[in-house]
Amino acid sequence: MKLHPMWQNYPQLVPELNQTIELMEQSVKLKNKAVEKAVLDMIHSGGKLLRPAYQLLFSQFGEDQDRKKAICLAAAIEMLHTATLIHDDIIDEADIRRKLPTIRKQFDNSTAVYAGDYLLISCFKLLADYTQSMRSLQLNSRSMEKILDGELGQMNDRYQIDVTIDDYLENISGKTAELFALSCGIGALESGCSEAFSKKCSEIGLNIGLAFQIIDDILDYTKTPEGIGKPVLEDVRQGVYSLPLIYALKENKQALLPYLSKKEAMSHEDAQAVFDIVHQTSAIQKAQDLAAKYTNKALKGIAKLPDNQVQTKENLARLTKAILMREN
């Protein structure tokens, strides 16, 4: 697999990220070769590998530098992430992911459910095979629970005009930020760092994940489908009101209500009207400001990390800043 071009700026990470992908490939062994190919295509479809990258970076702070174990954890985390994407595509009835047909589109929903479940099993098999600590299994299990809570919270808030910023943040804390928190925390913990230090790393990861999801939601209102590799405005048509729309509702609810009240009957033209109204408010700027707030909180946490890993701290800071500036 060819890594995302962004990693050219982090050459120290490239070998271990390549090994992470190789381990994921080796872990996928299905009797149904068509589905196996679809899962491998998903693995190779150009994901940024941010979560395993953070895990690998935070693993450099401990005394236990078993890189085989670190790469195993990175692969397990990315397999967990990929499983959640496959399941998300089923719920969202999505046809495109990373500019390629989704597994549900290529086959059907049942096949996609099994493919996602298989990746979840593969995640825990890797953890069982390569780590001796039950703590990692506990952390992964709890993270999966929080991810599900976030997804269920988002589902419960569908088409809710009065959804608040706190509701939104609670949902994305689970469905997106939790996996970043796990990546950073487990990277530190499994490399021999203390529980207290690992918790601080998790907090950094949570802030990174919050900023990441906010930017992702901003891109839905600022980029084309070709630019981000998936359809835009699908969330609003499915009743998922993300941060820019929530801010816009606070400013100009009356203009938005005629379109949002249509719920499932909202057309592409209606969604475009919502898009235009959002751009007439200060919603996108406010969302960008909040993303910057969480990015800065993460950067302050990174600055307080031990100075015995200067290059690692520099890479963490650069990578975290790049998330705020990304365009896809």
Side-chain angles (χ1 to χ4, degrees):
M1 171 189 172
K2 190 174 181 180
L3 292 177
H4 193 281
M6 67 179 290
W7 298 117
Q8 294 173 6
N9 298 318
Y10 308 88
Q12 304 92 335
L13 273 174
V14 168
E16 291 191 342
L17 287 175
N18 279 323
Q19 291 175 62
T20 298
I21 292 296
E22 289 169 8
L23 183 55
M24 290 171 66
E25 290 172 343
Q26 294 164 12
S27 301
V28 177
K29 302 293 181 186
L30 285 164
K31 291 182 180 179
N32 186 319
K33 294 304 172 184
V35 178
E36 179 182 276
K37 182 179 182 302
V39 172
L40 290 171
D41 286 346
M42 179 78 175
I43 289 171
H44 294 153
S45 62
K48 296 183 183 68
L49 303 179
L50 286 171
R51 295 152 191 84
Y54 275 109
Q55 187 276 322
L56 290 167
L57 285 167
F58 275 93
S59 72
Q60 294 172 13
F61 285 101
E63 294 182 0
D64 179 0
Q65 288 301 304
D66 181 347
R67 303 316 296 168
K68 186 176 181 181
K69 179 171 71 173
I71 290 162
C72 152
L73 287 165
I77 285 168
E78 186 64 11
M79 292 183 100
L80 173 56
H81 173 55
T82 306
T84 65
L85 295 182
I86 293 172
H87 286 163
D88 280 351
D89 289 339
I90 298 165
I91 294 166
D92 297 341
E93 299 182 357
D95 293 339
I96 301 294
R97 165 77 67 178
R98 296 171 180 168
K99 303 180 182 181
L100 295 174
T102 58
I103 291 178
R104 66 163 294 278
K105 177 66 174 177
Q106 292 182 62
F107 300 96
D108 52 36
N109 282 343
S110 297
T111 303
V113 168
Y114 291 135
D117 289 350
Y118 178 80
L119 285 172
L120 289 175
I121 293 167
S122 298
C123 162
F124 281 97
K125 281 175 62 180
L126 280 173
L127 291 173
D129 289 345
Y130 286 87
T131 65
Q132 287 74 48
S133 171
M134 284 299 294
R135 186 67 174 135
S136 292
L137 291 170
Q138 290 171 345
L139 289 172
N140 270 270
S141 300
R142 289 173 186 170
S143 290
M144 287 179 65
E145 182 181 17
K146 290 179 182 178
I147 291 167
L148 180 58
D149 281 343
E151 294 285 3
L152 288 172
Q154 179 175 281
M155 185 176 70
N156 290 338
D157 289 336
R158 288 180 70 211
Y159 300 109
Q160 296 298 313
I161 299 294
D162 59 352
V163 63
T164 67
I165 293 168
D166 285 343
D167 293 332
Y168 167 81
L169 291 173
E170 183 178 354
N171 292 339
I172 70 168
S173 291
K175 83 182 196 74
T176 301
E178 177 59 30
L179 200 47
F180 279 93
L182 174 68
S183 302
C184 300
I186 207 170
L189 186 66
E190 281 290 345
S191 68
C193 297
S194 68
E195 290 257 0
F197 178 81
S198 301
K199 185 176 180 181
K200 290 180 181 178
C201 296
S202 294
E203 291 170 359
I204 292 170
L206 189 72
N207 286 316
I208 291 168
L210 288 167
F212 180 89
Q213 184 60 55
I214 293 170
I215 293 297
D216 210 49
D217 291 335
I218 292 170
L219 292 175
D220 204 35
Y221 286 90
T222 58
K223 296 297 175 182
T224 63
E226 294 75 21
I228 59 175
K230 59 183 180 180
V232 297
L233 301 179
E234 282 301 300
D235 278 356
V236 67
R237 293 184 66 218
Q238 294 175 3
V240 178
Y241 300 158
S242 61
L243 191 61
L245 182 54
I246 295 171
Y247 275 128
L249 277 165
K250 290 167 71 70
E251 280 190 42
N252 198 354
K253 182 183 284 189
Q254 290 307 117
L256 289 162
L257 277 178
Y259 304 102
L260 299 182
S261 62
K262 295 183 181 182
K263 298 185 179 181
E264 290 92 339
M266 180 185 283
S267 66
H268 288 286
E269 291 75 20
D270 294 330
Q272 184 61 50
V274 170
F275 177 93
D276 293 339
I277 294 168
V278 169
H279 276 267
Q280 290 163 15
T281 70
S282 59
I284 291 173
Q285 184 59 56
K286 287 179 178 176
Q288 289 171 336
D289 290 345
L290 190 57
K293 172 186 171 183
Y294 286 113
T295 300
N296 289 332
K297 286 177 73 173
L299 290 172
K300 287 179 181 178
I302 291 167
K304 294 176 181 178
L305 293 171
D307 290 327
N308 63 332
Q309 290 290 342
V310 176
Q311 186 63 57
T312 300
K313 286 180 65 172
E314 289 178 0
N315 283 335
L316 283 168
R318 285 171 57 214
L319 185 57
T320 302
K321 290 174 186 175
I323 287 177
L324 188 65
M325 304 302 294
R326 80 185 198 279
E327 296 185 356
N328 57 47

mmCIF file of all heavy atoms in Angstrom, residues 1 15-31 33 36 39-41 43-44 68 71-72 75-76 79 118-119 121-123 125-126 129-130:
data_model
loop_
_atom_site.group_PDB
_atom_site.id
_atom_site.type_symbol
_atom_site.label_atom_id
_atom_site.label_comp_id
_atom_site.label_asym_id
_atom_site.label_seq_id
_atom_site.Cartn_x
_atom_site.Cartn_y
_atom_site.Cartn_z
ATOM 1 N N MET A 1 0.845 -1.198 0.000
ATOM 2 C CA MET A 1 0.000 0.000 0.000
ATOM 3 C C MET A 1 0.880 1.248 0.000
ATOM 4 O O MET A 1 1.888 1.322 0.682
ATOM 5 C CB MET A 1 -0.875 0.013 1.254
ATOM 6 C CG MET A 1 -1.623 1.324 1.462
ATOM 7 S SD MET A 1 -2.438 1.391 3.071
ATOM 8 C CE MET A 1 -2.996 3.095 3.076
ATOM 9 N N PRO A 15 8.337 3.566 8.158
ATOM 10 C CA PRO A 15 8.554 2.109 8.249
ATOM 11 C C PRO A 15 7.529 1.408 9.139
ATOM 12 O O PRO A 15 7.003 0.352 8.770
ATOM 13 C CB PRO A 15 9.975 1.989 8.819
ATOM 14 C CG PRO A 15 10.643 3.271 8.440
ATOM 15 C CD PRO A 15 9.562 4.313 8.535
ATOM 16 N N GLU A 16 7.229 1.993 10.303
ATOM 17 C CA GLU A 16 6.295 1.336 11.221
ATOM 18 C C GLU A 16 4.854 1.425 10.720
ATOM 19 O O GLU A 16 4.060 0.506 10.959
ATOM 20 C CB GLU A 16 6.429 1.911 12.625
ATOM 21 C CG GLU A 16 7.757 1.543 13.273
ATOM 22 C CD GLU A 16 7.835 1.867 14.757
ATOM 23 O OE1 GLU A 16 7.018 2.667 15.246
ATOM 24 O OE2 GLU A 16 8.730 1.310 15.428
ATOM 25 N N LEU A 17 4.506 2.490 10.028
ATOM 26 C CA LEU A 17 3.161 2.562 9.440
ATOM 27 C C LEU A 17 3.006 1.509 8.336
ATOM 28 O O LEU A 17 1.953 0.878 8.208
ATOM 29 C CB LEU A 17 2.890 3.962 8.898
ATOM 30 C CG LEU A 17 2.636 5.049 9.947
ATOM 31 C CD1 LEU A 17 2.498 6.415 9.278
ATOM 32 C CD2 LEU A 17 1.383 4.741 10.764
ATOM 33 N N ASN A 18 4.047 1.318 7.559
ATOM 34 C CA ASN A 18 4.006 0.261 6.531
ATOM 35 C C ASN A 18 3.872 -1.120 7.169
ATOM 36 O O ASN A 18 3.109 -1.965 6.694
ATOM 37 C CB ASN A 18 5.268 0.322 5.663
ATOM 38 C CG ASN A 18 5.177 1.382 4.570
ATOM 39 O OD1 ASN A 18 4.108 1.601 3.994
ATOM 40 N ND2 ASN A 18 6.286 2.030 4.268
ATOM 41 N N GLN A 19 4.598 -1.339 8.265
ATOM 42 C CA GLN A 19 4.490 -2.618 8.972
ATOM 43 C C GLN A 19 3.106 -2.808 9.590
ATOM 44 O O GLN A 19 2.599 -3.931 9.675
ATOM 45 C CB GLN A 19 5.567 -2.703 10.050
ATOM 46 C CG GLN A 19 6.984 -2.836 9.510
ATOM 47 C CD GLN A 19 8.026 -2.782 10.616
ATOM 48 O OE1 GLN A 19 8.050 -3.630 11.516
ATOM 49 N NE2 GLN A 19 8.876 -1.770 10.574
ATOM 50 N N THR A 20 2.494 -1.707 10.007
ATOM 51 C CA THR A 20 1.124 -1.765 10.541
ATOM 52 C C THR A 20 0.161 -2.268 9.474
ATOM 53 O O THR A 20 -0.664 -3.159 9.733
ATOM 54 C CB THR A 20 0.691 -0.367 11.035
ATOM 55 O OG1 THR A 20 1.558 0.043 12.101
ATOM 56 C CG2 THR A 20 -0.745 -0.389 11.525
ATOM 57 N N ILE A 21 0.275 -1.721 8.269
ATOM 58 C CA ILE A 21 -0.593 -2.157 7.159
ATOM 59 C C ILE A 21 -0.332 -3.615 6.810
ATOM 60 O O ILE A 21 -1.264 -4.396 6.579
ATOM 61 C CB ILE A 21 -0.372 -1.260 5.929
ATOM 62 C CG1 ILE A 21 -0.896 0.149 6.216
ATOM 63 C CG2 ILE A 21 -1.077 -1.836 4.706
ATOM 64 C CD1 ILE A 21 -2.391 0.227 6.441
ATOM 65 N N GLU A 22 0.935 -3.998 6.791
ATOM 66 C CA GLU A 22 1.280 -5.396 6.469
ATOM 67 C C GLU A 22 0.667 -6.353 7.484
ATOM 68 O O GLU A 22 0.157 -7.419 7.111
ATOM 69 C CB GLU A 22 2.806 -5.560 6.433
ATOM 70 C CG GLU A 22 3.467 -4.881 5.237
ATOM 71 C CD GLU A 22 4.982 -4.836 5.363
ATOM 72 O OE1 GLU A 22 5.523 -5.479 6.309
ATOM 73 O OE2 GLU A 22 5.626 -4.158 4.547
ATOM 74 N N LEU A 23 0.707 -5.991 8.747
ATOM 75 C CA LEU A 23 0.134 -6.852 9.788
ATOM 76 C C LEU A 23 -1.387 -6.933 9.639
ATOM 77 O O LEU A 23 -1.979 -8.007 9.827
ATOM 78 C CB LEU A 23 0.507 -6.333 11.184
ATOM 79 C CG LEU A 23 0.038 -7.167 12.375
ATOM 80 C CD1 LEU A 23 0.507 -8.617 12.255
ATOM 81 C CD2 LEU A 23 0.544 -6.558 13.689
ATOM 82 N N MET A 24 -2.017 -5.842 9.286
ATOM 83 C CA MET A 24 -3.457 -5.860 9.037
ATOM 84 C C MET A 24 -3.787 -6.793 7.872
ATOM 85 O O MET A 24 -4.730 -7.586 7.939
ATOM 86 C CB MET A 24 -3.968 -4.445 8.743
ATOM 87 C CG MET A 24 -3.944 -3.523 9.951
ATOM 88 S SD MET A 24 -4.317 -1.797 9.519
ATOM 89 C CE MET A 24 -6.033 -1.942 8.999
ATOM 90 N N GLU A 25 -3.006 -6.704 6.817
ATOM 91 C CA GLU A 25 -3.204 -7.580 5.650
ATOM 92 C C GLU A 25 -3.104 -9.047 6.050
ATOM 93 O O GLU A 25 -3.935 -9.878 5.665
ATOM 94 C CB GLU A 25 -2.160 -7.280 4.571
ATOM 95 C CG GLU A 25 -2.324 -5.944 3.875
ATOM 96 C CD GLU A 25 -1.148 -5.649 2.962
ATOM 97 O OE1 GLU A 25 -0.081 -6.301 3.121
ATOM 98 O OE2 GLU A 25 -1.265 -4.761 2.109
ATOM 99 N N GLN A 26 -2.087 -9.353 6.824
ATOM 100 C CA GLN A 26 -1.853 -10.745 7.228
ATOM 101 C C GLN A 26 -2.968 -11.272 8.128
ATOM 102 O O GLN A 26 -3.204 -12.480 8.191
ATOM 103 C CB GLN A 26 -0.510 -10.853 7.958
ATOM 104 C CG GLN A 26 0.700 -10.569 7.082
ATOM 105 C CD GLN A 26 1.962 -10.303 7.891
ATOM 106 O OE1 GLN A 26 2.008 -10.543 9.108
ATOM 107 N NE2 GLN A 26 2.992 -9.792 7.239
ATOM 108 N N SER A 27 -3.647 -10.361 8.813
ATOM 109 C CA SER A 27 -4.695 -10.760 9.759
ATOM 110 C C SER A 27 -6.032 -11.035 9.078
ATOM 111 O O SER A 27 -6.936 -11.601 9.703
ATOM 112 C CB SER A 27 -4.883 -9.668 10.820
ATOM 113 O OG SER A 27 -3.684 -9.439 11.531
ATOM 114 N N VAL A 28 -6.171 -10.618 7.833
ATOM 115 C CA VAL A 28 -7.441 -10.785 7.107
ATOM 116 C C VAL A 28 -7.378 -12.064 6.280
ATOM 117 O O VAL A 28 -6.731 -12.119 5.237
ATOM 118 C CB VAL A 28 -7.736 -9.569 6.202
ATOM 119 C CG1 VAL A 28 -9.019 -9.788 5.405
ATOM 120 C CG2 VAL A 28 -7.842 -8.308 7.041
ATOM 121 N N LYS A 29 -8.033 -13.100 6.756
ATOM 122 C CA LYS A 29 -8.071 -14.398 6.074
ATOM 123 C C LYS A 29 -9.514 -14.900 6.074
ATOM 124 O O LYS A 29 -9.983 -15.468 7.056
ATOM 125 C CB LYS A 29 -7.164 -15.417 6.782
ATOM 126 C CG LYS A 29 -5.706 -15.005 6.892
ATOM 127 C CD LYS A 29 -5.023 -14.953 5.539
ATOM 128 C CE LYS A 29 -3.541 -14.549 5.686
ATOM 129 N NZ LYS A 29 -2.889 -14.359 4.369
ATOM 130 N N LEU A 30 -10.220 -14.651 4.981
ATOM 131 C CA LEU A 30 -11.619 -15.047 4.871
ATOM 132 C C LEU A 30 -11.803 -16.114 3.801
ATOM 133 O O LEU A 30 -11.122 -16.098 2.771
ATOM 134 C CB LEU A 30 -12.478 -13.833 4.514
ATOM 135 C CG LEU A 30 -12.746 -12.826 5.639
ATOM 136 C CD1 LEU A 30 -13.260 -11.522 5.067
ATOM 137 C CD2 LEU A 30 -13.734 -13.389 6.630
ATOM 138 N N LYS A 31 -12.718 -17.040 4.042
ATOM 139 C CA LYS A 31 -13.022 -18.047 3.024
ATOM 140 C C LYS A 31 -13.678 -17.421 1.802
ATOM 141 O O LYS A 31 -13.451 -17.841 0.674
ATOM 142 C CB LYS A 31 -13.933 -19.129 3.618
ATOM 143 C CG LYS A 31 -13.249 -20.009 4.648
ATOM 144 C CD LYS A 31 -14.193 -21.095 5.168
ATOM 145 C CE LYS A 31 -13.486 -21.969 6.200
ATOM 146 N NZ LYS A 31 -14.391 -23.014 6.747
ATOM 147 N N LYS A 33 -13.510 -15.031 -0.719
ATOM 148 C CA LYS A 33 -12.417 -14.219 -1.247
ATOM 149 C C LYS A 33 -12.890 -12.881 -1.791
ATOM 150 O O LYS A 33 -12.129 -11.909 -1.799
ATOM 151 C CB LYS A 33 -11.653 -14.999 -2.327
ATOM 152 C CG LYS A 33 -10.931 -16.224 -1.786
ATOM 153 C CD LYS A 33 -9.982 -15.839 -0.641
ATOM 154 C CE LYS A 33 -9.369 -17.030 0.072
ATOM 155 N NZ LYS A 33 -8.540 -16.628 1.238
ATOM 156 N N GLU A 36 -13.123 -10.833 1.280
ATOM 157 C CA GLU A 36 -11.755 -10.597 1.739
ATOM 158 C C GLU A 36 -11.104 -9.480 0.923
ATOM 159 O O GLU A 36 -10.474 -8.575 1.483
ATOM 160 C CB GLU A 36 -10.925 -11.872 1.609
ATOM 161 C CG GLU A 36 -9.468 -11.696 2.043
ATOM 162 C CD GLU A 36 -8.654 -12.969 1.867
ATOM 163 O OE1 GLU A 36 -8.697 -13.813 2.765
ATOM 164 O OE2 GLU A 36 -7.981 -13.098 0.813
ATOM 165 N N VAL A 39 -12.516 -6.109 1.966
ATOM 166 C CA VAL A 39 -11.949 -5.649 3.239
ATOM 167 C C VAL A 39 -10.534 -5.125 3.025
ATOM 168 O O VAL A 39 -10.157 -4.063 3.543
ATOM 169 C CB VAL A 39 -11.957 -6.779 4.290
ATOM 170 C CG1 VAL A 39 -11.195 -6.355 5.543
ATOM 171 C CG2 VAL A 39 -13.389 -7.163 4.650
ATOM 172 N N LEU A 40 -9.741 -5.855 2.237
ATOM 173 C CA LEU A 40 -8.375 -5.408 1.949
ATOM 174 C C LEU A 40 -8.382 -4.106 1.162
ATOM 175 O O LEU A 40 -7.541 -3.227 1.395
ATOM 176 C CB LEU A 40 -7.612 -6.501 1.185
ATOM 177 C CG LEU A 40 -7.260 -7.746 1.999
ATOM 178 C CD1 LEU A 40 -6.704 -8.839 1.096
ATOM 179 C CD2 LEU A 40 -6.245 -7.412 3.093
ATOM 180 N N ASP A 41 -9.320 -3.982 0.223
ATOM 181 C CA ASP A 41 -9.430 -2.730 -0.529
ATOM 182 C C ASP A 41 -9.748 -1.566 0.412
ATOM 183 O O ASP A 41 -9.243 -0.455 0.230
ATOM 184 C CB ASP A 41 -10.528 -2.836 -1.598
ATOM 185 C CG ASP A 41 -10.101 -3.690 -2.786
ATOM 186 O OD1 ASP A 41 -8.898 -3.980 -2.908
ATOM 187 O OD2 ASP A 41 -10.985 -4.062 -3.582
ATOM 188 N N ILE A 43 -8.874 -1.391 3.559
ATOM 189 C CA ILE A 43 -7.626 -1.127 4.285
ATOM 190 C C ILE A 43 -6.670 -0.303 3.425
ATOM 191 O O ILE A 43 -5.953 0.567 3.922
ATOM 192 C CB ILE A 43 -6.969 -2.458 4.716
ATOM 193 C CG1 ILE A 43 -7.809 -3.105 5.835
ATOM 194 C CG2 ILE A 43 -5.526 -2.244 5.182
ATOM 195 C CD1 ILE A 43 -7.384 -4.517 6.175
ATOM 196 N N HIS A 44 -6.699 -0.559 2.109
ATOM 197 C CA HIS A 44 -5.761 0.093 1.192
ATOM 198 C C HIS A 44 -6.324 1.354 0.549
ATOM 199 O O HIS A 44 -5.717 1.893 -0.378
ATOM 200 C CB HIS A 44 -5.367 -0.879 0.066
ATOM 201 C CG HIS A 44 -4.587 -2.045 0.535
ATOM 202 N ND1 HIS A 44 -4.579 -3.257 -0.112
ATOM 203 C CD2 HIS A 44 -3.793 -2.207 1.626
ATOM 204 C CE1 HIS A 44 -3.808 -4.111 0.547
ATOM 205 N NE2 HIS A 44 -3.325 -3.491 1.602
ATOM 206 N N LYS A 68 7.508 -4.441 17.975
ATOM 207 C CA LYS A 68 6.557 -5.414 17.419
ATOM 208 C C LYS A 68 5.209 -5.282 18.119
ATOM 209 O O LYS A 68 4.154 -5.310 17.474
ATOM 210 C CB LYS A 68 7.110 -6.831 17.584
ATOM 211 C CG LYS A 68 6.270 -7.907 16.902
ATOM 212 C CD LYS A 68 6.941 -9.264 17.018
ATOM 213 C CE LYS A 68 6.113 -10.340 16.312
ATOM 214 N NZ LYS A 68 6.746 -11.678 16.425
ATOM 215 N N ILE A 71 3.512 -1.981 17.025
ATOM 216 C CA ILE A 71 2.916 -2.103 15.686
ATOM 217 C C ILE A 71 1.640 -2.934 15.742
ATOM 218 O O ILE A 71 0.652 -2.623 15.066
ATOM 219 C CB ILE A 71 3.948 -2.706 14.710
ATOM 220 C CG1 ILE A 71 5.064 -1.685 14.438
ATOM 221 C CG2 ILE A 71 3.287 -3.153 13.404
ATOM 222 C CD1 ILE A 71 6.318 -2.276 13.869
ATOM 223 N N CYS A 72 1.626 -3.968 16.580
ATOM 224 C CA CYS A 72 0.412 -4.768 16.765
ATOM 225 C C CYS A 72 -0.732 -3.911 17.287
ATOM 226 O O CYS A 72 -1.869 -3.990 16.807
ATOM 227 C CB CYS A 72 0.689 -5.908 17.732
ATOM 228 S SG CYS A 72 -0.756 -6.461 18.639
ATOM 229 N N ALA A 75 -2.026 -1.675 14.567
ATOM 230 C CA ALA A 75 -2.867 -2.419 13.621
ATOM 231 C C ALA A 75 -4.241 -2.700 14.223
ATOM 232 O O ALA A 75 -5.272 -2.574 13.547
ATOM 233 C CB ALA A 75 -2.172 -3.720 13.219
ATOM 234 N N ALA A 76 -4.262 -3.069 15.500
ATOM 235 C CA ALA A 76 -5.539 -3.367 16.163
ATOM 236 C C ALA A 76 -6.434 -2.131 16.200
ATOM 237 O O ALA A 76 -7.644 -2.209 15.943
ATOM 238 C CB ALA A 76 -5.273 -3.882 17.582
ATOM 239 N N MET A 79 -7.796 -1.416 12.726
ATOM 240 C CA MET A 79 -8.838 -2.388 12.370
ATOM 241 C C MET A 79 -10.146 -2.059 13.081
ATOM 242 O O MET A 79 -11.225 -2.176 12.496
ATOM 243 C CB MET A 79 -8.372 -3.805 12.686
ATOM 244 C CG MET A 79 -7.234 -4.261 11.797
ATOM 245 S SD MET A 79 -6.711 -5.959 12.099
ATOM 246 C CE MET A 79 -7.541 -6.803 10.770
ATOM 247 N N TYR A 118 -15.991 -9.009 11.497
ATOM 248 C CA TYR A 118 -14.737 -9.752 11.346
ATOM 249 C C TYR A 118 -13.541 -8.888 11.756
ATOM 250 O O TYR A 118 -12.611 -9.366 12.428
ATOM 251 C CB TYR A 118 -14.576 -10.217 9.896
ATOM 252 C CG TYR A 118 -13.283 -10.945 9.641
ATOM 253 C CD1 TYR A 118 -13.133 -12.294 9.981
ATOM 254 C CD2 TYR A 118 -12.184 -10.282 9.089
ATOM 255 C CE1 TYR A 118 -11.929 -12.958 9.768
ATOM 256 C CE2 TYR A 118 -10.986 -10.938 8.877
ATOM 257 C CZ TYR A 118 -10.864 -12.274 9.219
ATOM 258 O OH TYR A 118 -9.669 -12.928 9.016
ATOM 259 N N LEU A 119 -13.563 -7.621 11.367
ATOM 260 C CA LEU A 119 -12.467 -6.726 11.731
ATOM 261 C C LEU A 119 -12.421 -6.481 13.234
ATOM 262 O O LEU A 119 -11.345 -6.347 13.820
ATOM 263 C CB LEU A 119 -12.584 -5.412 10.976
ATOM 264 C CG LEU A 119 -12.196 -5.479 9.494
ATOM 265 C CD1 LEU A 119 -12.530 -4.176 8.784
ATOM 266 C CD2 LEU A 119 -10.714 -5.799 9.329
ATOM 267 N N ILE A 121 -13.302 -8.685 15.505
ATOM 268 C CA ILE A 121 -12.704 -9.913 16.040
ATOM 269 C C ILE A 121 -11.198 -9.905 15.810
ATOM 270 O O ILE A 121 -10.405 -10.261 16.697
ATOM 271 C CB ILE A 121 -13.347 -11.146 15.380
ATOM 272 C CG1 ILE A 121 -14.818 -11.264 15.814
ATOM 273 C CG2 ILE A 121 -12.583 -12.424 15.734
ATOM 274 C CD1 ILE A 121 -15.623 -12.244 14.990
ATOM 275 N N SER A 122 -10.790 -9.472 14.608
ATOM 276 C CA SER A 122 -9.359 -9.434 14.280
ATOM 277 C C SER A 122 -8.606 -8.476 15.198
ATOM 278 O O SER A 122 -7.460 -8.743 15.579
ATOM 279 C CB SER A 122 -9.173 -9.010 12.816
ATOM 280 O OG SER A 122 -9.761 -9.942 11.937
ATOM 281 N N CYS A 123 -9.258 -7.375 15.549
ATOM 282 C CA CYS A 123 -8.659 -6.414 16.478
ATOM 283 C C CYS A 123 -8.322 -7.095 17.798
ATOM 284 O O CYS A 123 -7.196 -6.986 18.312
ATOM 285 C CB CYS A 123 -9.619 -5.239 16.688
ATOM 286 S SG CYS A 123 -9.281 -4.226 18.148
ATOM 287 N N LYS A 125 -8.113 -10.332 18.421
ATOM 288 C CA LYS A 125 -7.141 -11.416 18.227
ATOM 289 C C LYS A 125 -5.717 -10.879 18.270
ATOM 290 O O LYS A 125 -4.826 -11.478 18.882
ATOM 291 C CB LYS A 125 -7.409 -12.120 16.900
ATOM 292 C CG LYS A 125 -8.570 -13.110 16.933
ATOM 293 C CD LYS A 125 -8.850 -13.683 15.556
ATOM 294 C CE LYS A 125 -7.678 -14.469 15.003
ATOM 295 N NZ LYS A 125 -7.979 -15.013 13.653
ATOM 296 N N LEU A 126 -5.502 -9.747 17.625
ATOM 297 C CA LEU A 126 -4.171 -9.144 17.647
ATOM 298 C C LEU A 126 -3.771 -8.769 19.072
ATOM 299 O O LEU A 126 -2.638 -9.017 19.493
ATOM 300 C CB LEU A 126 -4.147 -7.896 16.767
ATOM 301 C CG LEU A 126 -4.008 -8.117 15.260
ATOM 302 C CD1 LEU A 126 -4.165 -6.796 14.518
ATOM 303 C CD2 LEU A 126 -2.653 -8.735 14.930
ATOM 304 N N ASP A 129 -2.884 -11.889 20.969
ATOM 305 C CA ASP A 129 -1.661 -12.560 20.507
ATOM 306 C C ASP A 129 -0.389 -11.805 20.860
ATOM 307 O O ASP A 129 0.661 -12.410 21.075
ATOM 308 C CB ASP A 129 -1.707 -12.743 18.983
ATOM 309 C CG ASP A 129 -2.718 -13.797 18.555
ATOM 310 O OD1 ASP A 129 -3.170 -14.576 19.423
ATOM 311 O OD2 ASP A 129 -3.069 -13.836 17.361
ATOM 312 N N TYR A 130 -0.481 -10.466 20.920
ATOM 313 C CA TYR A 130 0.746 -9.678 21.027
ATOM 314 C C TYR A 130 0.914 -8.932 22.346
ATOM 315 O O TYR A 130 1.970 -8.366 22.604
ATOM 316 C CB TYR A 130 0.828 -8.671 19.873
ATOM 317 C CG TYR A 130 1.167 -9.300 18.547
ATOM 318 C CD1 TYR A 130 0.168 -9.816 17.721
ATOM 319 C CD2 TYR A 130 2.488 -9.388 18.108
ATOM 320 C CE1 TYR A 130 0.467 -10.390 16.496
ATOM 321 C CE2 TYR A 130 2.796 -9.957 16.895
ATOM 322 C CZ TYR A 130 1.783 -10.457 16.087
ATOM 323 O OH TYR A 130 2.086 -11.031 14.878
#
